Amino acid sequence: MSIEVKLALVLPCFNEHESLDLAASELSALLKEMAAEGVISGDSFIFFVDDGSTDDTWSKIARLNRKNPTVKGLKLSRNFGHQAALLAGLTAVTRDCDAAVSLDADLQQDTSVLREFLAEFRNGADIVLGVRKDRETDGWFKKKTALSFYTLMKVMGVDIVSNHADYRLMSRKALETLALFPEQNNFLRATCLMLGYRVSTVLFDVKERKFGQSKYTLKKMMKLAVHGITSFSIVPLRIVAGIGVLLFLCSMIMLVYALWQVLFVGNTVPGWASTIVPIYFIGGIQLICLGVVSEYIGQIYTTVKNRPRWICEDKLE
Ligand code: UDP
Ligand code: MG
């Protein structure tokens, strides 16, 4: 490792034209400060990834790039989603930096802890996870969904660190290893823990979003959760199998009961409720189970097609 670390800040952006000026000016000032302190090298840079924005995000990145050589950028041909955009950015900077930090373009994550990230990196950590201190700035709904998300992940056996999203430093070595994971639907916060390299954590505060709205819609959050679970856990399939076994055992008990009624009691008056209820109940369970299995088949389907995970349309050095 060189004495001075060449740092790349990777920021995926989807319709973030309002946030870019502030992000570029704050981050380049911070990079300059840290370079003056000797924490990073003077050629460290900011790398915006335009994830198929429909506003003038890309023209703004291009303008910033002309004015400020610290700003570089990559344009994806369409909206591939945050995880793909992030991976595209990390892949693009791998050969050009000693370490990369991924963060959001709205600068909600406190950037003053970057020095702590680098201190951990210098102490030998290949992956430094930013873990948020609390959820004060989140609304009620976001708090509840986030909490259920981490609980669900734990129950499903997916190894992730609670309250760590994608604010993370990765060494060049870790980035090169990450490139060996060809998954279609990557869930980076779990993948980076599978590399086996030294991981450490740094606590940080989350601020309010200054411009625009959250780009993580409920639909996108649910997609991320489903991909996270189906890419890293087969517990849902085991639950399906477990339900099957349980229903089979119940039906065996029912069979014995029915035979006993027919042969010894003679009380076989057909009941409407006892027929209709199990039909709906078992039908519902079967459809849920089919849905779970279909999610995995969907994963196999997208994996087998092996389409490009993102498409780069333009790059600014
Ligand atoms: N983002 C992206 N592609 C998407 C959705 C979001 O690149 O399809 C980016 C977004 O521009 C931001 C980051 O991902 O830089 C996190 O999104 P956001 O701040 O909206 O999420 P929140 O903080 O509300 O969870
Ligand atoms: Mg945000």
Side-chain angles (χ1 to χ4, degrees):
M1 194 198 307
S2 59
I3 305 291
E4 281 192 334
V5 178
K6 183 171 181 184
L7 182 69
L9 299 176
V10 178
L11 299 91
C13 319
F14 178 57
N15 293 343
E16 297 281 8
H17 74 283
E18 298 139 305
S19 307
L20 290 176
D21 281 329
L22 188 69
S25 63
E26 275 195 17
L27 293 176
S28 43
L30 185 65
L31 289 183
K32 225 177 243 168
E33 267 173 43
M34 291 200 296
E37 291 161 19
V39 178
I40 55 171
S41 69
D43 54 355
S44 298
F45 60 96
I46 304 164
F47 196 80
F48 289 113
V49 181
D50 176 12
D51 185 18
S53 299
T54 48
D55 63 3
D56 57 352
T57 294
W58 183 245
S59 52
K60 202 131 210 199
I61 295 170
R63 203 158 65 228
L64 287 165
N65 168 262
R66 282 195 296 274
K67 278 200 306 201
N68 183 352
T70 315
V71 175
K72 300 179 184 188
L74 182 74
K75 178 178 163 48
L76 304 188
S77 62
R78 63 169 169 86
N79 183 234
F80 283 86
H82 173 243
Q83 295 290 297
L86 188 52
L87 198 55
L90 293 173
T91 307
V93 302
T94 300
R95 289 162 160 264
D96 198 21
C97 68
D98 299 314
V101 171
S102 49
L103 69 166
D104 295 347
D106 54 17
L107 291 198
Q108 280 191 274
Q109 297 126 333
D110 181 10
T111 47
S112 65
V113 298
L114 278 178
R115 288 181 179 85
E116 290 175 46
F117 275 40
L118 284 152
E120 293 294 328
F121 172 63
R122 281 176 185 280
N123 283 338
D126 276 296
I127 296 156
V128 186
L129 309 177
V131 174
R132 54 190 295 174
K133 284 182 189 156
D134 53 50
R135 293 201 163 261
E136 294 292 304
T137 49
D138 279 355
W140 180 87
F141 184 71
K142 186 101 186 181
K143 250 184 223 165
K144 292 284 169 210
T145 46
L147 195 73
S148 334
F149 175 73
Y150 289 107
T151 314
L152 186 66
M153 288 290 162
K154 291 262 156 74
V155 171
M156 294 299 164
V158 184
D159 185 20
I160 52 170
V161 172
S162 287
N163 292 324
H164 162 68
D166 284 300
Y167 189 24
R168 177 174 50 237
L169 177 143
M170 293 181 85
S171 67
R172 183 172 176 163
K173 179 173 108 183
L175 290 172
E176 280 167 354
T177 312
L178 184 68
L180 302 176
F181 286 72
E183 271 133 272
Q184 281 288 328
N185 296 309
N186 222 317
F187 186 55
L188 291 168
R189 65 194 82 171
T191 313
C192 69
L193 296 181
M194 294 179 82
L195 306 185
Y197 297 148
R198 215 173 110 189
V199 178
S200 79
T201 55
V202 166
L203 292 175
F204 73 96
D205 286 312
V206 176
K207 299 179 233 165
E208 301 272 356
R209 195 180 234 277
K210 286 207 180 91
F211 305 102
Q213 302 260 317
S214 170
K215 306 298 180 295
Y216 251 101
T217 54
L218 182 63
K219 193 174 152 198
K220 281 186 178 171
M221 280 199 289
M222 285 173 67
K223 207 167 147 185
L224 182 71
V226 171
H227 285 160
I229 294 170
T230 51
S231 311
F232 286 89
S233 165
I234 55 159
V235 171
L237 293 178
R238 295 215 173 109
I239 294 175
V240 166
I243 291 172
V245 170
L246 210 70
L247 283 178
F248 175 73
L249 291 177
C250 288
S251 70
M252 283 292 126
I253 295 167
M254 287 293 287
L255 184 75
V256 172
Y257 173 74
L259 283 176
W260 182 69
Q261 287 284 331
V262 171
L263 296 177
F264 303 110
V265 184
N267 180 15
T268 52
V269 181
W272 177 78
S274 58
T275 312
I276 211 78
V277 170
I279 287 176
Y280 281 122
F281 178 69
I282 294 171
I285 287 183
Q286 280 176 339
L287 282 182
I288 293 170
C289 295
L290 209 61
V292 172
V293 176
S294 311
E295 276 301 325
Y296 285 88
I297 295 176
Q299 285 273 22
I300 299 168
Y301 175 65
T302 44
T303 304
V304 165
K305 280 188 295 183
N306 201 20
R307 288 183 179 156
R309 292 177 289 173
W310 61 83
I311 294 164
C312 301
E313 195 181 330
D314 205 352
K315 193 172 178 196
L316 296 167
E317 301 280 354

Coordinates of all heavy atoms in Angstrom, one line a residue, residues 16 104 106-108 209 214-215, ligand 2:
E16 N -30.9 13.1 -9.6 CA -30.4 13.9 -8.5 C -29.8 15.2 -8.9 O -28.9 15.8 -8.2 CB -29.2 13.1 -7.8 CG -29.6 11.8 -7.2 CD -30.3 11.9 -5.8 OE1 -30.7 13.0 -5.4 OE2 -30.6 10.9 -5.2
D104 N -24.3 8.0 -0.9 CA -25.4 8.5 -1.7 C -25.2 9.9 -2.1 O -24.6 10.7 -1.4 CB -26.7 8.4 -0.8 CG -27.1 7.0 -0.5 OD1 -26.5 6.1 -1.1 OD2 -28.0 6.8 0.4
D106 N -27.3 12.3 -2.2 CA -27.9 13.3 -1.4 C -27.1 13.7 -0.1 O -27.6 14.6 0.6 CB -29.3 12.8 -1.0 CG -29.3 11.5 -0.3 OD1 -28.2 11.1 0.2 OD2 -30.4 10.8 -0.2
L107 N -26.0 13.1 0.0 CA -25.1 13.4 1.2 C -25.8 13.3 2.5 O -25.5 14.0 3.4 CB -24.4 14.7 1.1 CG -23.3 14.9 0.0 CD1 -22.5 16.1 0.3 CD2 -22.5 13.7 -0.2
Q108 N -26.7 12.3 2.6 CA -27.4 12.1 3.9 C -26.5 11.5 4.9 O -26.6 11.7 6.1 CB -28.6 11.2 3.7 CG -29.8 12.0 3.2 CD -31.1 11.1 3.3 OE1 -31.3 10.3 2.4 NE2 -31.8 11.2 4.3
R209 N -32.6 14.7 4.0 CA -32.3 14.9 2.6 C -32.6 16.4 2.3 O -33.6 16.9 2.6 CB -33.3 14.0 1.7 CG -32.9 13.9 0.3 CD -33.9 13.0 -0.4 NE -33.2 11.9 -1.1 CZ -32.7 12.0 -2.3 NH1 -32.7 13.1 -2.9 NH2 -32.1 10.9 -2.9
S214 N -36.8 10.9 -1.8 CA -36.1 9.6 -1.8 C -36.4 8.9 -3.1 O -37.5 8.9 -3.7 CB -36.6 8.7 -0.7 OG -36.1 7.4 -0.8
K215 N -35.3 8.3 -3.7 CA -35.5 7.6 -5.0 C -35.7 6.1 -4.7 O -35.8 5.4 -5.7 CB -34.2 7.8 -5.8 CG -33.8 9.3 -6.0 CD -34.9 10.1 -6.8 CE -34.6 11.5 -7.0 NZ -34.5 12.4 -5.9
Ligands
MG2 MG -31.0 9.3 0.7

